[in-house]
Amino acid sequence: MLPEFIRRKFFDTEHRLDHWDAYVRSVYVTILVIMAYLLGYEFDMIGPIHGGVAVVGALWAAATVLSVYKDDRVATRESFFATMGSTFLGVAVALVYLFWFPHHMWDLALIIILAMLLSQAVGLSDRGRQVVSTLLIIVIFSHLNAANPWVNAAMRTVEVFIGAGIGLLGGYFGESLPGLDTKKP
């Protein structure tokens, strides 16, 4: 026989999945993610440097939806602006690193510390990891292809904007879906 707390967990899980809105939410978020992926992929295919790495850029757009989309409009809107702000900060720090620092692991470590401190200084302390993620993605793409870092930074910014925009629209239209954002008693 299973311990009581495990049986309770099973019961709670069954109870949550017994409501149809859990399924509606899952399908809705999946549709948003797929839309961002497809738009990100199409954008990357017309971009000046991609092709082979378009899938990664599309995944970056898709993952951004999950970062932005929240259960209500206000939280979604706040998340959209925080995501875009942290992206712009990550882009700025990445460009500083790529243009003015030698490409060495210790210099990258120093720039990561700088990015985390800057995110706290400008009020994005809860988004510091996202700033660093943007920084690292741009650095990685800049090492994978010989394109100008400005082009890589612009591509990543547009991919984030695609995902953030879809997440924002999803948060606004999602409120009108029946049962999607209702609280359970």
Side-chain angles (χ1 to χ4, degrees):
M1 186 124 176
L2 294 172
E4 176 64 28
F5 75 94
I6 292 177
R7 284 185 285 154
R8 200 170 322 128
K9 284 289 183 189
F10 279 125
F11 176 78
D12 291 345
T13 301
E14 283 179 351
H15 184 67
R16 280 192 301 270
L17 293 178
D18 193 28
H19 300 281
W20 68 278
D21 61 326
Y23 299 99
V24 171
R25 183 185 312 275
S26 298
V27 170
Y28 184 67
V29 171
T30 301
I31 290 169
L32 295 175
V33 168
I34 297 300
M35 285 173 48
Y37 177 88
L38 293 173
L39 285 173
Y41 187 82
E42 288 303 315
F43 168 75
D44 282 351
M45 291 306 288
I46 64 170
I49 60 168
H50 280 284
V53 292
V55 171
V56 179
L59 289 170
W60 190 243
T64 303
V65 169
L66 299 173
S67 174
V68 170
Y69 176 77
K70 304 295 180 215
D71 288 339
D72 64 61
R73 289 179 182 209
V74 173
T76 299
R77 187 178 58 242
E78 290 171 358
S79 182
F80 172 84
F81 287 113
T83 296
M84 293 310 300
S86 63
T87 297
F88 291 134
L89 182 58
V91 165
V93 175
L95 290 173
V96 165
Y97 170 74
L98 289 169
F99 283 121
W100 291 294
F101 280 77
H103 298 184
H104 187 272
M105 181 55 82
W106 294 114
D107 295 314
L108 182 59
L110 210 81
I111 207 77
I112 289 171
I113 292 169
L114 175 67
M116 293 295 287
L117 291 173
L118 280 173
S119 66
Q120 291 177 20
V122 298
L124 294 169
S125 58
D126 60 331
R127 294 294 182 128
R129 291 178 301 278
Q130 191 171 9
V131 171
V132 172
S133 295
T134 302
L135 157 72
L136 292 175
I137 288 291
I138 292 170
V139 169
I140 289 167
F141 272 90
S142 294
H143 287 294
L144 288 177
N145 57 54
N148 185 314
W150 287 102
V151 173
N152 282 316
M155 297 291 287
R156 301 299 75 75
T157 303
V158 172
E159 291 159 359
V160 167
F161 184 73
I162 288 169
I166 289 175
L168 180 67
L169 290 174
Y172 274 76
F173 291 118
E175 282 189 346
S176 64
L177 288 177
L180 185 64
D181 293 317
T182 57
K183 303 290 183 222
K184 298 189 186 33

